[in-house]
Amino acid sequence: MRTYLVVIDESPEAEIAMRFAARRAVKTGGSVEILALVPSTEFVQWGGVMATMEEEARLHAEALVAGAAGTLLSESGLKPSITVRQGDGPKIVREMITANPDIAALVLGAAASGAPGPLVSHFAGTDAGALPVPVMIIPGSLDRDGIDRLS
C-alpha cells in the first residue's frame, strides 16, 4: 500500500502538507503515516528536571499528533499510522523510510514566506538526492482549494 509520510508540528505549513498527503492517499488508495518529532533536550545537570522536560515535550507531541489524526479521520476517512520519536529529524525520517518499504513519498510543507524549516532545508539541499522516495514540498501559500486542485 502506498504510504505518504508527513512530519507535523504546530506550523500552518504542516497542516497544508497533511491535507495534501491525505488527499493523495484517498485518490491512490494509500495511507498516511504521521510523524511528530520531539526535540532532544540539552543536558541539564539535574536528571529529574531533564526527565520532566522530555516528558512534557513528548506529551505535547502526542497531543499534536492526536489532533492531526482526528482532523485527518474526519476530513478524509483515513485512519493514519502515528509515530512520535525523539532525536535528530533527518535521521529519524531516513530510518522510518528504510524500515517501511510502503512509504512512497515524504510530504513536507514549506513556509509561505521566509526561510524554509530545517527538514525542507535538509531534504531539498544537503540530502536532496539521497532518499529512495520522492520528497514532495507543498507551498505554504496554497489555500484549501489550491491543495485540493493539485492533489
Side-chain angles (χ1 to χ4, degrees):
M1 176 184 296
R2 178 180 301 225
T3 301
Y4 296 89
L5 176 61
V6 181
V7 182
I8 64 159
D9 56 20
E10 295 173 310
S11 67
E13 55 267 24
E15 291 178 28
I16 288 169
M18 175 67 71
R19 182 169 181 84
F20 181 88
R23 303 266 311 163
R24 290 297 312 145
V26 166
K27 288 183 179 181
T28 62
S31 64
V32 174
E33 171 87 27
I34 300 173
L35 170 62
L37 297 169
V38 178
S40 297
T41 54
E42 292 184 30
F43 178 75
V44 177
Q45 185 173 4
W46 299 282
V49 172
M50 189 166 144
T52 300
M53 289 169 56
E54 288 175 349
E55 181 63 19
E56 286 175 357
R58 176 168 280 291
L59 290 172
H60 181 73
E62 288 174 357
L64 182 65
V65 157
T71 300
L72 184 73
L73 183 61
S74 68
E75 289 186 3
S76 68
L78 292 174
K79 184 176 180 189
S81 299
I82 296 172
T83 303
V84 177
R85 299 257 316 261
Q86 181 175 6
D88 177 55
K91 180 180 177 193
I92 292 169
V93 168
R94 273 190 241 96
E95 288 171 356
M96 288 190 64
I97 291 170
T98 300
N100 184 351
D102 288 338
I103 293 177
L106 170 62
V107 182
L108 301 172
S113 64
L119 290 178
V120 171
S121 294
H122 182 84
F123 289 114
T126 308
D127 229 5
L131 288 179
V133 300
V135 177
M136 298 177 169
I137 301 175
I138 313 307
S141 60
L142 290 175
D143 60 11
R144 292 174 70 90
D145 292 336
I147 294 167
D148 294 349
R149 195 173 47 256
L150 290 173
S151 60

